[in-house]
Amino acid sequence: MDFTPTEEQAAARDLAARIFGDLATPERLAAAGTGSDPELWKALCAAGLVGAVEELGLLGLVLLLEEQGRTTAQVPFASTCVYGLLAVAAHGSPEQRVRLLPGIGDGSVVVCGAVSGQGGVRARAARGEREQGESQRAFTRGELSGTVPVVPWLRDATHVLVSDEQRGLWLVPVTDAVGVEAVELTAPWAAGRLTLDGAPAERLGAAGVDVGAEAQQPHSRPPTPTPTPSPYADVLATARTAFAGLQAGVGAGSLARAVAHVNAREQFGRPLATRQAVQLRAADAHMDIEAIRVTAYEAAWRRDAGLPYATHALTAAWWASEAGQRVVHTGQHLHGGAGADLDHPVHRHFLWGRQLDAYLGGGGEVLQELGELIVSEEEEKEREVGEG
């Protein structure tokens, strides 16, 4: 494996770093409150960074999200790229790709995701298609009903990608038919409670494709005997990998602030950075960040290379959840009393790190799912050997 960025990925990362560094300042973040920064979003889209993710791949997106995490910039970058651009590019029908991808790239279409199974959403055929039956294979236009308690960036979205009880994926326009109630999270992610009551929706992808069957994959995927994941599984694993990359950036930004603080702050005539306990704490945080980064890179690289990556995405999510919250606690702790100030920039990293920990599912839940997946894969291999 080779995680060295391509020339295009490195250029996009450097451009993102400049834009986030210039516009996601503590003053602008404070002025945004719990909402997003529309001017920053326009700048990112005008620079072509959102649309470029289709060519940069998931590894390229992880690199960009690291830069967002360093500044905790309040824009729906991760959600739009994961649940919108990459999901539609990989699993959408040709008509959906032509219709939606340009708008996602220029920022006029903002997508968020409700695919983690937080609430029971039921799908039935739209009125014009009900005579065809309501099986998962029968209709592409549907009506969704149900509630998802928390959807990050829902208040900014024009569309939301929703999974139903059968793990089918549906694109739902955020219109009057969709109830959106503001929900405040630990981090300022413009979240909302999603209520659907017969809301019109279109299935992601073509009709007649079973939700558990082999799904259309990115154009770069080479032939492989390994069964491809369902659209639901692929989108969920992509999201885990991308948000792990975001957590790596959040941790790196927190640690960078802490290092600057302990080098400038003196006690008893010596900088705090000369204290061994401080050095060890910072070193542990650095190693945690590197673990998050390398596992996210590996999962992203494997997806881009067309290799199985479900267990790798869960591994990245576990490191991001467990190690991520350790890192942001360290960043706040090394600031001493200043770290307890709710208006201090490092506190924003703390809030984002804790929110990402919860969003990724918590270390224990992710570890249990990873263990179950490994066991099921081993059992499948044993059955194949026995049948052979």
Side-chain angles (χ1 to χ4, degrees):
M1 64 187 70
D2 183 4
F3 303 151
T4 303
T6 64
E7 183 178 344
E8 292 78 11
Q9 289 171 337
R13 178 195 59 198
D14 295 342
L15 176 58
R18 289 197 297 273
I19 294 175
F20 286 127
D22 291 342
L23 297 181
T25 61
E27 294 76 18
R28 288 178 63 94
L29 292 171
T34 61
S36 61
D37 186 338
E39 294 304 317
L40 175 56
W41 181 242
K42 289 179 182 178
L44 291 169
C45 295
L49 288 174
V50 177
V53 170
E54 185 178 2
E55 295 300 325
L56 298 176
L58 183 53
L59 181 56
L61 176 59
V62 167
L63 294 172
L64 299 180
L65 291 178
E66 277 192 76
E67 300 306 322
Q68 180 186 2
R70 292 178 196 274
T71 59
T72 62
Q74 291 174 202
V75 286
F77 195 10
S79 67
T80 292
C81 289
V82 168
Y83 302 115
L85 191 140
L86 290 179
V88 173
H91 306 293
S93 66
E95 187 275 333
Q96 287 173 331
R97 292 197 292 271
V98 170
R99 172 165 49 90
L100 294 171
L101 290 180
I104 295 173
D106 66 24
S108 60
V109 175
V110 177
V111 187
C112 62
V115 300
S116 60
Q118 297 180 70
V121 175
R122 302 172 302 281
R124 65 175 182 176
R127 293 181 181 180
E129 299 190 14
R130 288 181 187 172
E131 62 273 11
Q132 301 178 30
E134 295 197 10
S135 73
Q136 283 290 317
R137 301 175 63 89
F139 59 96
T140 58
R141 297 283 175 178
E143 297 175 355
L144 303 187
S145 297
T147 300
V148 183
V150 178
V151 181
W153 306 111
L154 178 61
R155 288 167 11 220
D156 290 336
T158 61
H159 293 71
V160 54
L161 185 66
V162 182
S163 61
D164 62 25
E165 293 177 325
Q166 304 300 318
R167 296 191 172 184
L169 294 179
W170 300 86
L171 280 167
V172 183
V174 180
T175 63
D176 293 338
V178 176
V180 177
E181 178 184 352
V183 174
E184 299 303 338
L185 303 180
T186 301
W189 284 3
R193 175 186 176 91
L194 178 67
T195 302
L196 304 169
D197 185 9
E202 59 176 312
R203 187 185 301 279
L204 181 66
V209 179
D210 228 345
V211 295
E214 291 189 2
Q216 178 186 356
Q217 298 299 308
H219 56 77
S220 60
R221 178 180 293 278
T224 172
T226 304
T228 55
S230 69
Y232 173 88
D234 180 52
V235 169
L236 186 57
T238 299
R240 284 168 167 159
T241 304
F243 281 95
L246 184 61
Q247 182 75 300
V250 169
S254 175
L255 183 59
R257 291 187 183 279
V259 169
H261 175 79
V262 297
N263 275 284
R265 178 76 170 175
E266 291 188 1
Q267 283 188 350
F268 307 108
R270 295 170 55 191
L272 285 173
T274 63
R275 309 290 178 179
Q276 187 179 42
V278 171
Q279 295 172 358
L280 292 175
R281 190 77 188 271
D284 286 342
H286 173 74
M287 294 305 298
D288 274 336
I289 294 168
E290 288 302 303
I292 300 170
R293 179 179 288 121
V294 73
T295 53
Y297 284 6
E298 182 178 11
W301 176 83
R302 290 182 67 88
R303 182 188 190 274
D304 292 342
L307 300 172
Y309 74 110
T311 56
H312 302 79
L314 281 167
T315 301
W318 182 83
W319 273 105
S321 178
E322 287 285 298
Q325 57 90 16
R326 287 199 300 266
V327 171
V328 295
H329 273 268
T330 294
Q332 187 152 314
H333 185 197
L334 291 180
H335 275 79
D341 183 355
L342 301 184
D343 294 325
H344 196 286
V346 78
H347 187 70
R348 189 177 299 273
H349 291 270
F350 175 78
L351 296 178
W352 277 62
R354 293 309 306 263
Q355 185 63 60
L356 281 163
D357 171 30
Y359 186 68
L360 289 165
E365 295 178 27
V366 174
L367 191 61
Q368 179 180 348
E369 186 176 348
L370 176 59
E372 292 172 350
L373 181 59
I374 292 173
V375 169
S376 66
E377 289 180 348
E378 291 301 318
E379 290 176 346
E380 179 64 26
K381 290 179 182 178
E382 291 178 0
R383 281 195 297 269
E384 291 176 356
V385 171
E387 292 173 358

